[in-house]
Amino acid sequence: MKNKITKRILQAIPMLLFISFVSFLLMNLAPGDPAQGYITPKMSKEQADLIRVSLGLDKPMLTRYFLWLKNVLSGDFGYSLVSRQAVASEISSRFFATLGLMGSSLLLAIFISIPLGLYTGMHRNKFLDRFTNILNYIAISIPSFWFAMILLSIFSLKLKWLPSVGMRTIGVTSTLDVIKHGILPTIVLSFSNIAVLTRYVRSCTITELKQDYIVTAISKGASKNRILFKHIMKNALLPMITILGMSLPSLVSGAFITETIFGWPGMGRLGINSIKALDYPVIMAMTLVTSIMVVIGNLLADISYVLVDPRIRRGNENV
């Protein structure tokens, strides 16, 4: 197990370097000039050039990339070109807000999709199965920003049940207030994942029901609950772990959109604002942090494989 984890970490290092270089290249090819936020029409060319020098924009792209990489390896992510604050402190102050939103949406998707997928697979082509399939197609097809607007219009503007923006109400510090603010963004972020996971669990359930060991268990009089939760669910967990690992990039990108719409004070909102302002130190740090999150998530998925399936664990021990 330790060798497998070490190998995966070593494999992730060149991938992270490649992602950072491509991101830096694309950012420099994008139209616009980060120094324009500091240059006024009354400034002379010499003053404008001094601003570019102070921001480090006078050096070639490769030189700036390697200088950035050297600083990052020493733990220095630089300073924001907009706020002039340390990039590390700006991201760390928003990291747990994003992590909490992503974690809650992932847990919600798991808790809903597993029992729903098992039940609809067990009762294939019945009313609930067909109705759920229609909802799954809708959830996969509709844009998340449109769904967010619909929820805001219904539950915030018309019914006034839930707050529309932010993470807290001004002057209120209770946990319940944070939960109320997080309900709508969590639903939006988990909606498509619930549909995808439910379909995969349903498909695995239908496949497992045709296996010989299930037919034998049914012939021996085993109850449906015993068949579902003792036999089928164990074998359905492995493909579900794969889908969860594959859904992490879309979860991260979805958090950017969701946080912007709901005014959630996380990394997504910071990232969108930084892209608009061409604040490349923040953009690069955000890219690196989110890439590391995806790598760690996939590593945890691999570890979960070993814990769930004894055959994989025995195979690793024999290697």
Side-chain angles (χ1 to χ4, degrees):
M1 173 67 77
K2 291 182 180 179
N3 292 334
K4 184 178 179 65
I5 294 174
T6 303
K7 183 179 179 181
R8 287 299 302 272
I9 293 174
L10 293 176
Q11 289 175 344
I13 292 175
M15 181 176 63
L16 292 174
L17 290 174
F18 177 75
I19 291 173
S20 66
F21 177 75
V22 171
S23 301
F24 202 93
L25 177 63
L26 292 175
M27 185 179 55
N28 280 269
L29 292 176
D33 184 2
Q36 289 300 321
Y38 300 89
I39 298 174
T40 64
K42 295 182 179 180
M43 286 185 178
S44 63
K45 184 178 182 303
E46 290 75 14
Q47 291 174 320
D49 291 339
L50 285 175
I51 289 177
R52 289 191 172 87
V53 171
S54 66
L55 296 176
L57 300 174
D58 59 317
K59 300 179 179 65
M61 190 272 291
L62 282 177
T63 303
R64 285 189 283 123
Y65 171 73
F66 285 112
L67 287 174
W68 172 84
L69 185 61
K70 177 184 176 182
N71 292 332
V72 168
L73 293 176
S74 63
D76 180 14
F77 287 92
Y79 290 85
S80 168
L81 299 181
V82 177
S83 65
R84 288 296 188 176
Q85 301 295 318
V87 174
S89 64
E90 288 212 344
I91 292 179
S92 61
S93 64
R94 294 167 171 81
F95 177 77
F96 289 103
T98 296
L99 192 64
L101 182 62
M102 291 174 57
S104 59
S105 65
L106 200 59
L107 289 175
L108 180 63
I110 291 172
F111 287 141
I112 292 178
S113 61
I114 290 179
L116 187 59
L118 289 172
Y119 186 84
T120 53
M122 196 75 174
H123 300 82
R124 184 183 181 186
N125 293 328
K126 297 296 179 62
F127 171 76
L128 182 61
D129 179 41
R130 294 181 179 182
F131 180 71
T132 303
N133 279 334
I134 294 174
L135 289 181
N136 288 338
Y137 283 121
I138 294 174
I140 294 172
S141 303
I142 64 174
S144 58
F145 68 87
W146 181 85
F147 182 54
M149 294 299 182
I150 295 297
L151 292 184
L152 282 172
S153 176
I154 295 173
F155 294 101
S156 295
L157 299 180
K158 292 185 178 179
L159 299 177
K160 300 186 184 300
W161 287 355
L162 296 169
S164 58
V165 294
M167 186 175 175
R168 292 181 183 274
T169 303
I170 298 176
V172 180
T173 58
S174 65
T175 304
L176 180 61
D177 183 63
V178 177
I179 294 174
K180 289 175 63 178
H181 280 80
I183 290 176
L184 291 183
T186 299
I187 292 174
V188 171
L189 195 56
S190 63
F191 194 52
S192 61
N193 279 335
I194 291 173
V196 172
L197 293 175
T198 300
R199 286 176 56 82
Y200 270 88
V201 174
R202 174 186 178 274
S203 177
C204 291
T205 302
I206 294 172
T207 302
E208 292 299 321
L209 284 171
K210 299 177 182 178
Q211 301 299 317
D212 292 337
Y213 75 96
I214 296 295
V215 177
T216 303
I218 294 174
S219 65
K220 290 182 177 181
S223 64
K224 287 185 177 180
N225 288 336
R226 182 179 178 85
I227 292 172
L228 277 176
F229 295 104
K230 186 175 181 180
H231 299 291
I232 295 178
M233 191 173 74
K234 288 183 179 180
N235 293 313
L237 282 178
L238 278 178
M240 187 169 182
I241 292 172
T242 303
I243 298 303
L244 287 174
M246 293 172 59
S247 66
L248 286 174
S250 61
L251 196 65
V252 173
S253 60
F256 274 56
I257 300 173
T258 305
E259 288 181 2
T260 303
I261 294 174
F262 289 98
W264 190 264
M267 293 196 304
R269 191 178 177 189
L270 174 65
I272 294 295
N273 293 334
S274 300
I275 291 171
K276 291 179 180 179
L278 290 177
D279 193 351
Y280 75 86
V282 177
I283 297 173
M284 290 303 301
M286 291 281 296
T287 303
L288 187 61
V289 170
T290 52
S291 300
I292 291 174
M293 289 172 63
V294 172
V295 169
I296 293 175
N298 283 283
L299 180 61
L300 293 176
D302 288 345
I303 296 173
S304 300
Y305 265 117
V306 178
L307 297 177
V308 171
D309 195 339
R311 296 170 296 179
I312 300 177
R313 183 163 60 247
R314 288 195 294 267
N316 288 336
E317 290 172 355
N318 295 329
V319 175

